[in-house]
Amino acid sequence: MGTEAYAESIDRTVMYYGLPFIQEADFPFNNYLSMLDTVSGNSVYEVITSWMENMPEGKWPNWMIGGPDSSRLTSRLGNQYVNVMNMLLFTLPGTPITYYGEEIGMGNIVAANLNESYDINTLRSKSPMQWDNSSNAGFSEASNTWLPTNSDYHTVNVDVSISENFMLILETKKWVSTESTHSP
């Protein structure tokens, strides 16, 4: 069981794992990668190392790069970090936790007037999932959605991501087969 129990520091957050004689959660959500506003090898290394060193022995790690209460990865760090941060998320030991759309590079919506009583900053990351380039990004057949779709849904959506990745796989296979016929 994962629990949303954040503290101001990693050493305080890992306390939600519990004690040897009192089981709390299987893991408290580790949102410290999603709190990075700038990324460097050192900052990522520090977050990972700090979590692993403070996590109680025998417990299971988890990693998040985004969530409903933070700006989306693309809006926070830029498009150039989408693939590398997702790759990191899925190669670290433990459970990867992703917020919908982070895997395709969805960004925050830019809407001046959302007419809501919610925190506007958190609403910007909650736009509809961008499935394709049809109306409402394929999320709904309604005339409109509660929150607007991001204006980039024509180019940033699941269909485009699948097509781009499929072409990359084909090109890689072609390159590998060409290289293998030329090797000594």
Side-chain angles (χ1 to χ4, degrees):
M1 172 183 72
T3 184
E4 196 168 349
Y6 307 120
E8 63 279 352
S9 64
I10 289 175
D11 61 328
R12 305 246 332 160
T13 301
V14 297
M15 293 172 73
Y16 289 97
Y17 276 108
L19 301 168
F21 53 89
I22 299 174
Q23 174 68 29
E24 295 287 337
D26 291 312
F27 53 75
F29 287 151
N30 174 356
N31 71 329
Y32 293 93
L33 288 173
S34 64
M35 294 169 64
L36 295 175
D37 287 329
T38 58
V39 73
S40 70
N42 286 337
S43 63
V44 171
Y45 174 81
E46 287 172 15
V47 168
I48 294 167
T49 303
S50 184
W51 187 269
M52 295 302 284
E53 288 176 350
N54 283 284
M55 187 178 60
E57 187 175 332
K59 296 298 182 177
W60 188 252
N62 71 98
W63 312 96
M64 296 171 59
I65 55 171
D69 297 325
S70 63
S71 288
R72 289 189 171 277
L73 177 65
T74 301
S75 297
R76 211 172 57 245
L77 301 175
N79 288 336
Q80 68 272 26
Y81 290 104
V82 171
N83 289 335
V84 73
M85 291 301 285
N86 278 294
M87 182 180 68
L88 176 67
L89 180 74
F90 286 100
T91 56
L92 286 169
T95 300
I97 301 168
T98 191
Y99 187 56
Y100 76 94
E102 295 286 13
E103 69 282 6
I104 62 169
M106 281 179 57
N108 288 355
I109 55 173
V110 181
N113 185 8
L114 295 174
N115 294 322
E116 294 291 336
S117 59
Y118 299 100
D119 177 7
I120 296 299
N121 292 322
T122 61
L123 286 180
R124 295 185 192 287
S125 68
K126 296 178 179 169
S127 62
M129 179 64 184
Q130 297 170 190
W131 293 104
D132 56 35
N133 64 3
S134 66
S135 177
N136 294 321
F139 179 79
S140 171
E141 294 178 3
S143 59
N144 59 19
T145 53
W146 172 54
L147 291 172
T149 55
N150 198 314
S151 60
D152 68 358
Y153 79 91
H154 292 286
T155 57
V156 178
N157 63 58
V158 173
D159 277 354
V160 168
S161 181
I162 289 171
S163 295
E164 288 175 353
N165 288 319
F166 181 72
M167 293 308 294
L168 182 62
I169 290 168
L170 286 178
E171 288 175 23
T172 303
K173 283 184 174 183
K174 184 177 174 183
W175 180 80
V176 169
S177 65
T178 304
E179 286 296 308
S180 65
T181 58
H182 292 53
S183 57

